[in-house]
Structure formats: C-alpha cells, structure tokens
Amino acid sequence: MAKVIELRVRGTNAPGKLITSRPWEFRCSPWISKYFLQVPKGLYKEKGPADSPEPTPRHLEVRGSAAYTVQAAFAYRHNEEKMREVYYLAGLVDCMINRVNPLLRTKFIEHLYEKILTMKGLLNVNWFGTMDRVLLPLDGRLFNDREYRESLSRAGSMQALYRVIREGTESMFDILSQEYVFFVPDRGNGNGKTISR
C-alpha cells in the first residue's frame, strides 16, 4: 500500500504562511491546486500572496514525474541531507531514462539500475506513471542544462558519471533553495482562493 504523505501541516494553513524556510522554502498555497507550485522568489516578493492572480498559475505547477520529486523532497523538508539524496536520486533516474551517456547502452545500465533501486528503497521514494522530466525546471540564466547534459555524455566511467550527477544535482539543489519558493497544494479546503475553472 502506498505511503500517505500529509501535505498540509496542521496550524499553518493561512495562504502564504511559511512552512519551512530552509533548505527549500515551502509555503501554504494561496491558490486551490492539486499540484505544488514552483515560483521564483523574486516574483513572489514582488507580488506577494495577496496580490496573486485569481486563477491557479498553471505555468508554475509542478506536474508529471517532477511532481513526485518535489513531493519526496517535501516529505524530508526537515532533513537537508535526505532532501539532497532525494534530488541526487532524481538525477540518477533522469540519467537512466534519458540515457545520455554511451556507457548506459551497455551492461553498465544494470549497475545504475541497482543503485537507483537501493536508494529508492532506503528513501522510500517512487515515481509513478509515464517517466518524463524528474528534475525540477530551472531558469536557464541560473543553470546551464545543456552544459550539464554534455558533461554527462562525456563521462568515461561510471564513477565519473556519478560524480557529474552528484555535482550537478548539488548545484541544482542550491539554486532551488536560493531562488525558488514552493507552494504546497491546497485542494479546496477553504484555505486558498476560489478559482473558476
């Protein structure tokens, strides 16, 4: 049976209310949405939760496989080390599903698969449905995704590949910590703004 993760933290359901400030900033959502919202901190500070537009800002919704990544990070919101491991695991999964390195077209894919299965079990993290983008989107001015992909494809050994993924996901994690705020889903229990669909 799937593990139930309580997204709403008791006593913190006022729209915009801070849940955690570090390592990632999580807040109660001012919108009714079944998705986490990933908002650049500059945009949030500029407009604030009270000035947010009435409809859910769909372009900020974290959907698909990335939704499971942010949900797992939220589950470990009080444990930075485990949050970083969740994001490293997401980087490993991303590398496996996109097979950006020639080594992953050989028997070495089995080693990566075993590593992923072990970490998923230890962290109790799963992705369901069609696997697409498991890493969270980042502004291209903050992180050069093309350069990261090229580094992955150039790694000449599994150790080098793991090192590139570790360094890349650590950098991404820090950017997400410094530059973004995440709003926890509000499914319409009266805490978010009413929207017209």
Side-chain angles (χ1 to χ4, degrees), residues 61-91:
E61 290 179 341
V62 181
R63 292 179 174 237
S65 299
Y68 294 105
T69 303
V70 73
Q71 184 175 356
F74 182 75
Y76 288 114
R77 64 193 173 275
H78 299 299
N79 187 331
E80 181 171 349
E81 183 181 340
K82 286 198 174 180
M83 274 184 81
R84 286 182 182 276
E85 285 301 294
V86 164
Y87 212 72
Y88 174 58
L89 173 59

Side-chain angles (χ1 to χ4, degrees), residues 72-132:
F74 182 75
Y76 288 114
R77 64 193 173 275
H78 299 299
N79 187 331
E80 181 171 349
E81 183 181 340
K82 286 198 174 180
M83 274 184 81
R84 286 182 182 276
E85 285 301 294
V86 164
Y87 212 72
Y88 174 58
L89 173 59
L92 293 171
V93 171
D94 172 71
C95 189
M96 185 180 73
I97 62 177
N98 292 308
R99 297 186 184 202
V100 294
N101 186 292
L103 290 171
L104 301 180
R105 295 185 188 98
T106 68
K107 64 179 182 173
F108 288 112
I109 189 78
E110 294 173 16
H111 189 269
L112 177 60
Y113 187 72
E114 292 277 329
K115 187 175 183 75
I116 288 170
L117 283 180
T118 300
M119 289 186 71
K120 282 174 66 175
L122 290 171
L123 294 167
N124 196 23
V125 176
N126 280 297
W127 289 268
F128 300 98
T130 304
M131 294 296 286
D132 52 12

